[in-house]
Amino acid sequence: MSALPGKALILVENLSVPFDRRVWQECQTLRDAGWEVHVICPQGTKRDTEAEVTIDGVHILRYPLKAATGGPAGYVQEYGSALWHTLRLARKVGRVDVVHACNPPDMLFLVALYLKRQGAKFIFDQHDLCPELYLSRFDRGEDLLYRAVCALERRTYKTADVVIATNESYKDVAVKRGGKSPDDVFVVRSAPVVERFHMVPAEPELKRGKPHLLAYLGVMGPQDGVDYALRALASLRDALGRTDWHAVFIGSGDAFDAMVALSKELKLDDQVEFTGRISDEDLLRYLSSADVCLSPDPLNPLNDVSTMNKIMEYMAMSRPIVSFELREARVSAGEAALYAPANDEPEFAKLIAHLLDSPEERAKMGELGRARVAGPLSWENSQKALLAAYAAAVR
């Protein structure tokens, strides 16, 4: 098999495509490099609903999937259904040169094994550390299911010819825990397309009559810290006496309803707005009007070593950030963020108040963040690593 472009099949279970921005960027990069790109992913609910479509030269097959609710048993059912549909559609795609599986879950190696028997090479694109995700999401400790998750990760590493990691922390895990050679692990950082994120005229009416707007953008799951942000905002109001702000929480997830309920419980509903998922146009409106952006992911085994897309997107919009002290958050944001001690909500609130009173510091932080995502953390650099991973796989 030559290292020239061939036929690639990308497997995704976590999000639909092209809604999954990282995967869509990878698809476009491979297409531009001459690869024939196919994707198998779930259908969206409000977008990405077609069962089969070709977008900008990328062929996408989608399957119906009911998202898990409740505990781990719901995820077993979801992942089992996704695995069956993925294998069914992979047979429809036929022989490929590379099968590129994006986790979670760490079960797609079973589809890769089927395709490897037909001559494909397997690239494992590790979006999440599933053992750490399990510990962070479910308060069950290292039980039988945890050990099963670890076993699936080991099999995935063993099956993979090449591993793509989202940052150096993940690469370290692939080498030390996964037993991969450092030469077979490539860091492809998630990075926003800077051209997609651009300032539009600020709209004071989005601040609902307040001087300042605070913004959160991202998934709302149990491990994403929206509850920490809400309690920090209650502290900002009650302990610091600050009511000169309106906050918007953009995004959705399986904790969305619980977070709306918590906002009401904390009597924040007159100052906090939940938009759900919104269009890119509306996203730019809110972020262009925001004074401070929030990254409240708490310290846990997963978050400490994960790159947060929200941080990258805030920086692309030249927004200053308040974060908890996390290893990879600091690697991403550098001086574009202020860092509260891990999980310390009152200190998080104090940093918000400090930035609200410091317009010059906010502007400087925004400039530093924009320079980082346009330079050393740009998708252009990630593209080179992605193509190098493919070359290594088919070499």
Side-chain angles (χ1 to χ4, degrees), residues 301-386:
L302 179 69
N303 289 346
D304 194 40
V305 294
S306 296
T307 299
M308 303 301 172
N309 287 335
K310 66 174 75 69
I311 286 180
M312 306 299 295
E313 293 172 349
Y314 295 156
M315 291 195 295
M317 289 296 293
S318 304
R319 300 295 88 184
I321 303 159
V322 175
S323 170
F324 288 123
E325 183 65 65
L326 302 175
R327 186 194 318 175
E328 284 295 335
R330 190 174 281 277
V331 169
S332 295
E335 295 181 3
L338 298 182
Y339 304 92
N343 307 354
D344 189 330
E345 296 154 359
E347 287 300 316
F348 197 95
K350 289 176 183 177
L351 292 180
I352 295 173
H354 170 76
L355 286 179
L356 293 182
D357 293 334
S358 310
E360 292 183 1
E361 185 175 356
R362 295 201 307 265
K364 182 179 179 181
M365 291 169 65
E367 292 171 3
L368 290 170
R370 178 74 179 188
R372 287 177 69 78
V373 296
L377 303 183
S378 69
W379 180 247
E380 182 179 355
N381 290 329
S382 295
Q383 285 179 314
K384 297 173 184 175
L386 175 64

Coordinates of all heavy atoms in Angstrom, one line a residue, residues 301-386:
P301 N -10.1 13.7 37.0 CA -9.1 12.9 36.2 C -9.2 13.2 34.7 O -8.1 13.2 34.1 CB -9.4 11.5 36.5 CG -10.1 11.5 37.9 CD -10.9 12.8 37.9
L302 N -10.3 13.5 34.2 CA -10.4 13.8 32.7 C -10.1 15.3 32.4 O -9.3 15.5 31.5 CB -11.9 13.5 32.3 CG -12.1 13.8 30.8 CD1 -11.4 12.8 29.9 CD2 -13.6 13.7 30.5
N303 N -10.7 16.2 33.1 CA -10.6 17.6 32.7 C -9.2 18.1 32.8 O -8.8 19.0 32.1 CB -11.5 18.5 33.6 CG -13.0 18.3 33.2 OD1 -13.3 17.7 32.2 ND2 -13.9 18.7 34.1
D304 N -8.4 17.6 33.8 CA -7.1 18.1 34.0 C -6.2 17.9 32.8 O -5.3 18.7 32.6 CB -6.4 17.4 35.2 CG -5.2 18.2 35.7 OD1 -5.2 19.4 35.7 OD2 -4.2 17.5 36.1
V305 N -6.4 16.9 32.0 CA -5.5 16.5 30.9 C -6.2 16.7 29.6 O -5.7 16.3 28.5 CB -5.0 15.1 31.0 CG1 -4.1 15.0 32.2 CG2 -6.1 14.1 31.1
S306 N -7.4 17.4 29.5 CA -8.1 17.5 28.3 C -8.1 19.0 27.8 O -8.1 19.9 28.6 CB -9.6 17.1 28.5 OG -9.7 15.8 28.8
T307 N -8.0 19.1 26.5 CA -8.1 20.4 25.8 C -9.6 20.8 25.7 O -10.3 20.1 25.1 CB -7.4 20.4 24.5 OG1 -6.0 20.0 24.6 CG2 -7.5 21.7 23.8
M308 N -9.9 22.0 26.2 CA -11.3 22.4 26.2 C -11.6 23.2 24.9 O -10.9 24.3 24.7 CB -11.7 23.2 27.4 CG -11.4 22.5 28.7 SD -12.4 21.0 28.8 CE -11.8 20.2 30.3
N309 N -12.5 22.8 24.1 CA -12.8 23.5 22.8 C -13.3 24.9 23.1 O -13.0 25.9 22.4 CB -13.8 22.8 22.0 CG -13.2 21.5 21.4 OD1 -12.0 21.4 21.1 ND2 -14.1 20.6 21.0
K310 N -14.0 25.1 24.3 CA -14.5 26.4 24.6 C -13.4 27.4 24.8 O -13.5 28.6 24.3 CB -15.5 26.3 25.8 CG -14.8 26.0 27.1 CD -15.7 26.0 28.3 CE -16.7 24.9 28.4 NZ -16.0 23.6 28.7
I311 N -12.3 27.0 25.4 CA -11.2 27.9 25.6 C -10.6 28.4 24.3 O -10.4 29.6 24.1 CB -10.1 27.2 26.5 CG1 -10.6 27.2 27.9 CG2 -8.8 28.0 26.4 CD1 -9.6 26.5 28.9
M312 N -10.5 27.4 23.4 CA -9.9 27.8 22.0 C -10.8 28.7 21.3 O -10.4 29.7 20.6 CB -9.7 26.5 21.2 CG -8.9 25.4 21.9 SD -7.2 25.9 22.3 CE -6.6 26.2 20.6
E313 N -12.1 28.5 21.4 CA -13.1 29.4 20.7 C -13.2 30.7 21.4 O -13.4 31.8 20.7 CB -14.4 28.6 20.6 CG -14.3 27.4 19.7 CD -15.5 26.5 19.7 OE1 -16.4 26.7 20.6 OE2 -15.6 25.6 18.9
Y314 N -13.1 30.8 22.7 CA -13.1 32.1 23.3 C -11.9 32.9 22.8 O -12.0 34.1 22.6 CB -13.0 32.0 24.8 CG -14.1 31.3 25.6 CD1 -13.9 30.7 26.8 CD2 -15.4 31.3 25.0 CE1 -15.0 30.1 27.5 CE2 -16.5 30.7 25.7 CZ -16.3 30.1 27.0 OH -17.3 29.5 27.6
M315 N -10.7 32.3 22.8 CA -9.5 33.0 22.3 C -9.6 33.4 20.9 O -9.2 34.5 20.5 CB -8.3 32.1 22.5 CG -7.9 31.8 24.0 SD -6.3 31.1 24.2 CE -6.5 29.6 23.4
A316 N -10.3 32.6 20.0 CA -10.4 33.0 18.6 C -11.3 34.2 18.5 O -11.2 35.0 17.6 CB -11.1 31.9 17.9
M317 N -12.2 34.5 19.5 CA -13.0 35.7 19.6 C -12.4 36.8 20.4 O -13.1 37.8 20.7 CB -14.4 35.3 20.1 CG -15.2 34.5 19.2 SD -15.6 35.3 17.6 CE -16.7 36.6 18.2
S318 N -11.1 36.6 20.8 CA -10.4 37.7 21.6 C -11.1 38.0 22.9 O -11.1 39.1 23.3 CB -10.3 39.0 20.7 OG -9.7 38.7 19.5
R319 N -11.6 37.0 23.5 CA -12.3 37.2 24.8 C -11.4 36.7 26.0 O -10.8 35.7 25.9 CB -13.6 36.4 24.9 CG -14.7 36.7 23.8 CD -15.2 38.1 23.9 NE -14.4 39.0 23.2 CZ -14.6 40.3 23.1 NH1 -15.5 40.9 23.9 NH2 -13.8 41.1 22.4
P320 N -11.4 37.5 27.1 CA -10.7 37.0 28.3 C -11.5 35.9 29.0 O -12.7 35.9 28.9 CB -10.6 38.3 29.1 CG -11.8 39.1 28.7 CD -12.0 38.8 27.3
I321 N -10.7 35.1 29.7 CA -11.3 33.9 30.2 C -11.0 33.7 31.7 O -10.0 34.1 32.2 CB -10.7 32.6 29.5 CG1 -10.9 32.7 28.0 CG2 -11.3 31.3 30.0 CD1 -9.9 31.9 27.2
V322 N -12.0 33.2 32.4 CA -11.8 32.7 33.8 C -11.9 31.2 33.8 O -12.9 30.7 33.3 CB -12.7 33.4 34.8 CG1 -12.5 32.8 36.2 CG2 -12.5 34.9 34.9
S323 N -10.9 30.5 34.4 CA -10.9 29.1 34.4 C -10.4 28.6 35.8 O -9.8 29.4 36.5 CB -9.9 28.6 33.3 OG -9.6 27.2 33.4
F324 N -10.7 27.4 36.1 CA -10.1 26.7 37.2 C -8.7 26.3 36.8 O -8.4 26.2 35.6 CB -10.9 25.5 37.7 CG -12.1 25.9 38.4 CD1 -13.4 25.4 38.0 CD2 -12.1 26.7 39.5 CE1 -14.5 25.8 38.6 CE2 -13.3 27.1 40.2 CZ -14.5 26.6 39.8
E325 N -7.8 26.1 37.7 CA -6.4 25.7 37.5 C -6.4 24.2 37.0 O -6.6 23.3 37.8 CB -5.6 25.9 38.7 CG -4.1 25.5 38.6 CD -3.4 26.5 37.6 OE1 -3.3 27.7 37.9 OE2 -3.0 26.0 36.5
L326 N -6.2 24.0 35.7 CA -6.1 22.7 35.1 C -4.9 22.7 34.2 O -4.6 23.7 33.5 CB -7.4 22.4 34.2 CG -8.7 22.4 34.9 CD1 -9.8 22.2 33.9 CD2 -8.8 21.4 36.0
R327 N -4.2 21.6 34.2 CA -3.0 21.5 33.4 C -3.1 21.9 32.0 O -2.4 22.8 31.5 CB -2.4 20.1 33.5 CG -1.0 19.9 32.9 CD -0.7 18.4 32.7 NE -1.1 17.6 33.8 CZ -1.0 16.3 33.8 NH1 -0.5 15.6 32.7 NH2 -1.3 15.5 34.8
E328 N -4.1 21.3 31.3 CA -4.2 21.6 29.8 C -4.9 22.9 29.6 O -4.7 23.5 28.5 CB -4.8 20.4 29.1 CG -3.9 19.2 28.9 CD -2.7 19.5 28.0 OE1 -2.9 20.4 27.1 OE2 -1.7 18.8 28.1
A329 N -5.7 23.4 30.5 CA -6.3 24.7 30.3 C -5.2 25.7 30.3 O -5.3 26.7 29.4 CB -7.3 25.0 31.5
R330 N -4.2 25.6 31.1 CA -3.1 26.6 31.1 C -2.3 26.4 29.9 O -1.8 27.4 29.3 CB -2.3 26.4 32.4 CG -1.3 27.5 32.6 CD -0.6 27.4 33.9 NE -1.3 27.9 35.0 CZ -1.4 29.2 35.4 NH1 -0.8 30.1 34.7 NH2 -2.1 29.5 36.5
V331 N -2.1 25.2 29.4 CA -1.3 25.0 28.1 C -2.0 25.7 27.0 O -1.4 26.3 26.1 CB -1.2 23.5 27.8 CG1 -0.6 23.3 26.4 CG2 -0.2 22.8 28.9
S332 N -3.4 25.6 26.9 CA -4.1 26.2 25.9 C -4.2 27.7 26.0 O -3.8 28.4 25.0 CB -5.5 25.7 25.8 OG -5.6 24.3 25.5
A333 N -4.6 28.2 27.1 CA -4.9 29.6 27.2 C -3.7 30.5 27.6 O -3.7 31.7 27.2 CB -6.0 29.8 28.3
G334 N -2.7 30.0 28.3 CA -1.6 30.8 28.8 C -2.1 32.0 29.5 O -2.9 31.9 30.4
E335 N -1.7 33.2 29.1 CA -2.0 34.4 29.7 C -3.3 35.0 29.2 O -3.7 36.1 29.7 CB -0.9 35.5 29.5 CG 0.4 35.0 30.2 CD 1.5 36.1 30.0 OE1 1.3 37.1 29.4 OE2 2.7 35.8 30.5
A336 N -4.0 34.3 28.4 CA -5.4 34.7 28.0 C -6.4 34.4 29.0 O -7.6 34.8 28.8 CB -5.7 34.1 26.7
A337 N -6.1 33.7 30.1 CA -7.0 33.4 31.2 C -6.5 33.7 32.5 O -5.3 33.8 32.7 CB -7.4 31.9 31.1
L338 N -7.4 33.9 33.5 CA -7.0 34.0 34.9 C -7.5 32.6 35.5 O -8.6 32.1 35.1 CB -7.7 35.1 35.6 CG -7.3 36.5 35.1 CD1 -8.1 37.6 36.0 CD2 -5.8 36.8 35.2
Y339 N -6.8 32.1 36.5 CA -7.0 30.8 37.0 C -7.3 30.8 38.5 O -6.5 31.2 39.3 CB -5.8 29.9 36.7 CG -5.4 29.9 35.2 CD1 -4.5 30.8 34.7 CD2 -6.0 28.9 34.4 CE1 -4.1 30.7 33.4 CE2 -5.6 28.9 33.0 CZ -4.7 29.8 32.6 OH -4.4 29.8 31.2
A340 N -8.5 30.3 38.8 CA -8.9 30.2 40.2 C -8.4 28.8 40.7 O -8.2 27.9 39.9 CB -10.4 30.2 40.4
P341 N -8.0 28.7 42.0 CA -7.7 27.4 42.5 C -8.8 26.3 42.2 O -10.0 26.7 42.1 CB -7.6 27.6 44.0 CG -7.3 29.0 44.2 CD -8.0 29.7 43.0
A342 N -8.4 25.1 41.9 CA -9.3 24.1 41.4 C -10.6 24.0 42.2 O -10.5 23.9 43.5 CB -8.6 22.7 41.4
N343 N -11.7 24.2 41.5 CA -13.0 24.0 42.1 C -13.4 25.0 43.2 O -14.4 24.8 43.9 CB -13.2 22.5 42.7 CG -12.8 21.5 41.6 OD1 -12.6 21.7 40.5 ND2 -12.8 20.2 42.1
D344 N -12.7 26.1 43.3 CA -12.9 27.1 44.3 C -13.9 28.2 43.7 O -13.5 29.1 43.0 CB -11.6 27.7 44.7 CG -11.8 28.6 45.9 OD1 -12.8 29.2 46.1 OD2 -10.8 28.8 46.7
E345 N -15.2 28.0 44.0 CA -16.2 28.9 43.4 C -16.1 30.3 43.8 O -16.2 31.2 43.0 CB -17.6 28.3 43.6 CG -17.8 26.9 42.9 CD -18.8 26.1 43.6 OE1 -19.4 26.5 44.7 OE2 -19.1 25.0 43.2
P346 N -15.9 30.6 45.1 CA -15.7 32.0 45.5 C -14.6 32.7 44.8 O -14.7 33.9 44.5 CB -15.5 31.9 47.0 CG -16.2 30.6 47.4 CD -16.0 29.7 46.3
E347 N -13.4 32.0 44.7 CA -12.3 32.6 44.0 C -12.6 32.8 42.5 O -12.1 33.8 41.9 CB -11.0 31.8 44.2 CG -10.5 31.8 45.6 CD -10.1 33.2 46.0 OE1 -9.5 33.9 45.2 OE2 -10.4 33.6 47.1
F348 N -13.3 31.9 41.9 CA -13.7 32.0 40.5 C -14.5 33.3 40.4 O -14.3 34.1 39.4 CB -14.5 30.8 40.1 CG -14.7 30.6 38.6 CD1 -13.9 29.8 37.9 CD2 -15.8 31.2 38.0 CE1 -14.1 29.6 36.6 CE2 -16.0 31.0 36.6 CZ -15.1 30.2 35.9
A349 N -15.4 33.5 41.3 CA -16.3 34.8 41.3 C -15.4 36.0 41.5 O -15.7 37.0 40.8 CB -17.3 34.7 42.4
K350 N -14.4 36.0 42.3 CA -13.6 37.1 42.5 C -12.8 37.5 41.3 O -12.6 38.7 40.9 CB -12.6 36.9 43.7 CG -13.2 36.9 45.1 CD -12.2 36.5 46.2 CE -12.9 36.4 47.5 NZ -12.0 36.0 48.6
L351 N -12.4 36.5 40.5 CA -11.6 36.7 39.3 C -12.6 37.3 38.2 O -12.2 38.2 37.4 CB -11.0 35.5 38.7 CG -9.9 34.9 39.6 CD1 -9.3 33.6 38.9 CD2 -8.7 35.9 39.7
I352 N -13.8 36.9 38.2 CA -14.8 37.5 37.3 C -14.9 39.0 37.6 O -14.9 39.9 36.8 CB -16.2 36.8 37.4 CG1 -16.1 35.4 36.9 CG2 -17.2 37.6 36.6 CD1 -17.4 34.6 37.1
A353 N -15.1 39.3 38.9 CA -15.3 40.7 39.4 C -14.1 41.5 39.0 O -14.2 42.7 38.6 CB -15.5 40.7 40.9
H354 N -12.9 40.9 39.2 CA -11.6 41.6 38.9 C -11.6 42.0 37.4 O -11.3 43.2 37.0 CB -10.4 40.8 39.2 CG -9.1 41.3 38.7 ND1 -8.5 42.4 39.2 CD2 -8.4 41.0 37.6 CE1 -7.4 42.6 38.5 NE2 -7.3 41.8 37.5
L355 N -12.0 41.1 36.5 CA -12.0 41.4 35.1 C -13.0 42.4 34.7 O -12.8 43.2 33.8 CB -12.1 40.1 34.3 CG -10.8 39.2 34.2 CD1 -11.1 38.0 33.4 CD2 -9.6 40.0 33.6
L356 N -14.2 42.3 35.3 CA -15.2 43.3 35.0 C -14.8 44.7 35.3 O -15.2 45.7 34.6 CB -16.5 43.0 35.8 CG -17.2 41.7 35.5 CD1 -18.5 41.5 36.3 CD2 -17.6 41.6 34.0
D357 N -13.9 44.9 36.3 CA -13.4 46.2 36.7 C -12.1 46.6 35.9 O -11.5 47.6 36.2 CB -13.1 46.2 38.2 CG -14.4 46.1 39.0 OD1 -15.5 46.5 38.5 OD2 -14.3 45.6 40.1
S358 N -11.6 45.7 35.0 CA -10.3 45.9 34.4 C -10.4 45.8 32.8 O -10.0 44.9 32.2 CB -9.3 44.9 34.9 OG -9.3 44.8 36.3
P359 N -11.0 46.8 32.2 CA -11.2 46.7 30.7 C -9.9 46.7 30.0 O -9.9 46.0 28.9 CB -12.0 48.0 30.4 CG -11.8 48.9 31.6 CD -11.6 48.0 32.8
E360 N -8.9 47.3 30.4 CA -7.6 47.3 29.7 C -7.0 45.9 29.8 O -6.4 45.3 28.8 CB -6.6 48.3 30.2 CG -7.1 49.8 29.9 CD -6.0 50.8 30.4 OE1 -5.0 50.4 31.0 OE2 -6.3 52.0 30.2
E361 N -7.1 45.3 30.9 CA -6.6 43.9 31.1 C -7.4 42.9 30.2 O -6.8 42.0 29.6 CB -6.6 43.5 32.6 CG -6.0 42.1 32.8 CD -5.9 41.8 34.3 OE1 -6.3 42.6 35.1 OE2 -5.5 40.7 34.6
R362 N -8.7 43.1 30.2 CA -9.5 42.3 29.3 C -9.1 42.3 27.9 O -8.9 41.3 27.2 CB -11.0 42.6 29.5 CG -11.6 42.4 30.8 CD -13.1 42.3 30.7 NE -13.7 43.4 30.0 CZ -14.2 44.5 30.6 NH1 -14.1 44.7 32.0 NH2 -14.8 45.5 29.9
A363 N -8.8 43.6 27.4 CA -8.4 43.7 26.0 C -7.1 43.1 25.7 O -6.9 42.4 24.7 CB -8.4 45.2 25.7
K364 N -6.1 43.2 26.7 CA -4.8 42.6 26.5 C -4.9 41.1 26.4 O -4.3 40.5 25.6 CB -3.9 43.1 27.6 CG -2.4 42.5 27.4 CD -1.5 43.0 28.6 CE -0.1 42.5 28.4 NZ 0.8 42.9 29.5
M365 N -5.7 40.6 27.4 CA -5.8 39.1 27.4 C -6.5 38.6 26.1 O -6.1 37.5 25.6 CB -6.7 38.7 28.6 CG -6.0 38.9 29.9 SD -7.1 38.7 31.3 CE -7.6 37.0 31.2
G366 N -7.4 39.3 25.6 CA -8.1 38.9 24.3 C -7.1 38.9 23.2 O -7.1 38.0 22.4
E367 N -6.3 39.9 23.1 CA -5.3 40.0 22.1 C -4.3 38.8 22.1 O -3.9 38.2 21.1 CB -4.5 41.3 22.1 CG -5.3 42.5 21.8 CD -4.6 43.8 22.1 OE1 -3.4 43.8 22.5 OE2 -5.2 44.9 21.9
L368 N -3.9 38.5 23.4 CA -2.9 37.4 23.5 C -3.6 36.1 23.1 O -2.9 35.2 22.5 CB -2.5 37.3 25.0 CG -1.6 38.4 25.5 CD1 -1.4 38.3 27.0 CD2 -0.2 38.3 24.8
G369 N -4.8 35.9 23.5 CA -5.5 34.6 23.1 C -5.7 34.5 21.6 O -5.4 33.4 21.0
R370 N -6.1 35.6 20.9 CA -6.3 35.5 19.5 C -4.9 35.2 18.8 O -4.9 34.4 17.8 CB -6.8 36.9 19.0 CG -7.0 37.0 17.5 CD -8.1 36.3 17.0 NE -8.3 36.4 15.5 CZ -9.3 36.0 14.8 NH1 -10.3 35.4 15.4 NH2 -9.4 36.2 13.5
A371 N -3.8 35.8 19.3 CA -2.5 35.5 18.7 C -2.1 34.0 18.9 O -1.5 33.5 18.0 CB -1.5 36.4 19.3
R372 N -2.6 33.4 20.0 CA -2.2 32.0 20.2 C -2.9 31.1 19.2 O -2.3 30.2 18.6 CB -2.5 31.6 21.6 CG -1.6 32.2 22.7 CD -2.0 31.8 24.1 NE -1.8 30.4 24.3 CZ -0.7 29.8 24.6 NH1 0.4 30.5 24.6 NH2 -0.6 28.5 24.9
V373 N -4.2 31.3 19.0 CA -5.0 30.4 18.1 C -4.7 30.7 16.6 O -4.9 29.9 15.8 CB -6.5 30.5 18.3 CG1 -6.8 30.0 19.7 CG2 -7.1 31.9 18.1
A374 N -4.2 31.9 16.3 CA -3.8 32.2 15.0 C -2.4 31.8 14.7 O -2.0 31.7 13.5 CB -3.9 33.7 14.7
G375 N -1.6 31.5 15.7 CA -0.2 31.2 15.6 C 0.1 29.7 16.0 O -0.2 28.8 15.3
P376 N 0.8 29.6 17.2 CA 1.2 28.3 17.6 C 0.2 27.2 17.8 O 0.4 26.0 17.6 CB 2.0 28.5 18.9 CG 1.4 29.8 19.4 CD 1.1 30.6 18.2
L377 N -1.1 27.6 18.1 CA -2.2 26.6 18.3 C -3.1 26.6 17.1 O -4.2 26.1 17.2 CB -2.9 27.0 19.6 CG -2.1 27.1 20.8 CD1 -3.0 27.4 22.0 CD2 -1.3 25.8 21.1
S378 N -2.7 27.0 15.9 CA -3.6 27.1 14.8 C -3.9 25.8 14.2 O -3.1 24.8 14.3 CB -3.0 28.0 13.7 OG -1.8 27.4 13.1
W379 N -5.0 25.7 13.5 CA -5.4 24.4 12.8 C -4.4 24.1 11.6 O -4.2 23.0 11.3 CB -6.8 24.5 12.2 CG -7.2 23.3 11.5 CD1 -7.4 23.2 10.1 CD2 -7.4 22.0 12.0 NE1 -7.7 21.9 9.8 CE2 -7.7 21.1 11.0 CE3 -7.2 21.5 13.3 CZ2 -7.9 19.8 11.2 CZ3 -7.5 20.1 13.5 CH2 -7.8 19.3 12.5
E380 N -3.7 25.2 11.1 CA -2.7 24.9 10.1 C -1.6 24.0 10.6 O -1.2 23.1 9.9 CB -2.1 26.3 9.6 CG -1.1 26.1 8.5 CD -0.5 27.4 8.1 OE1 -0.9 28.5 8.6 OE2 0.4 27.4 7.2
N381 N -1.2 24.2 11.8 CA -0.2 23.3 12.4 C -0.8 21.9 12.6 O -0.1 20.8 12.4 CB 0.3 23.8 13.7 CG 1.2 25.1 13.5 OD1 1.9 25.2 12.5 ND2 1.2 26.0 14.4
S382 N -2.1 21.8 13.1 CA -2.7 20.5 13.3 C -2.9 19.8 12.0 O -2.8 18.5 11.9 CB -4.1 20.7 13.9 OG -3.9 21.2 15.3
Q383 N -3.1 20.5 10.9 CA -3.3 19.8 9.6 C -2.0 19.1 9.2 O -2.1 17.9 8.7 CB -3.5 20.9 8.5 CG -4.9 21.5 8.5 CD -5.1 22.5 7.4 OE1 -4.3 23.4 7.2 NE2 -6.2 22.4 6.7
K384 N -0.9 19.6 9.4 CA 0.4 19.0 9.1 C 0.5 17.7 9.9 O 1.0 16.7 9.4 CB 1.6 19.9 9.4 CG 1.6 21.2 8.5 CD 2.7 22.1 9.0 CE 2.6 23.4 8.2 NZ 3.6 24.4 8.7
A385 N 0.2 17.7 11.2 CA 0.3 16.5 12.0 C -0.7 15.5 11.6 O -0.4 14.3 11.6 CB 0.0 16.9 13.5
L386 N -1.9 15.9 11.2 CA -2.9 14.9 10.7 C -2.4 14.2 9.4 O -2.5 13.0 9.3 CB -4.2 15.6 10.4 CG -5.3 14.8 9.8 CD1 -5.8 13.7 10.7 CD2 -6.5 15.7 9.4

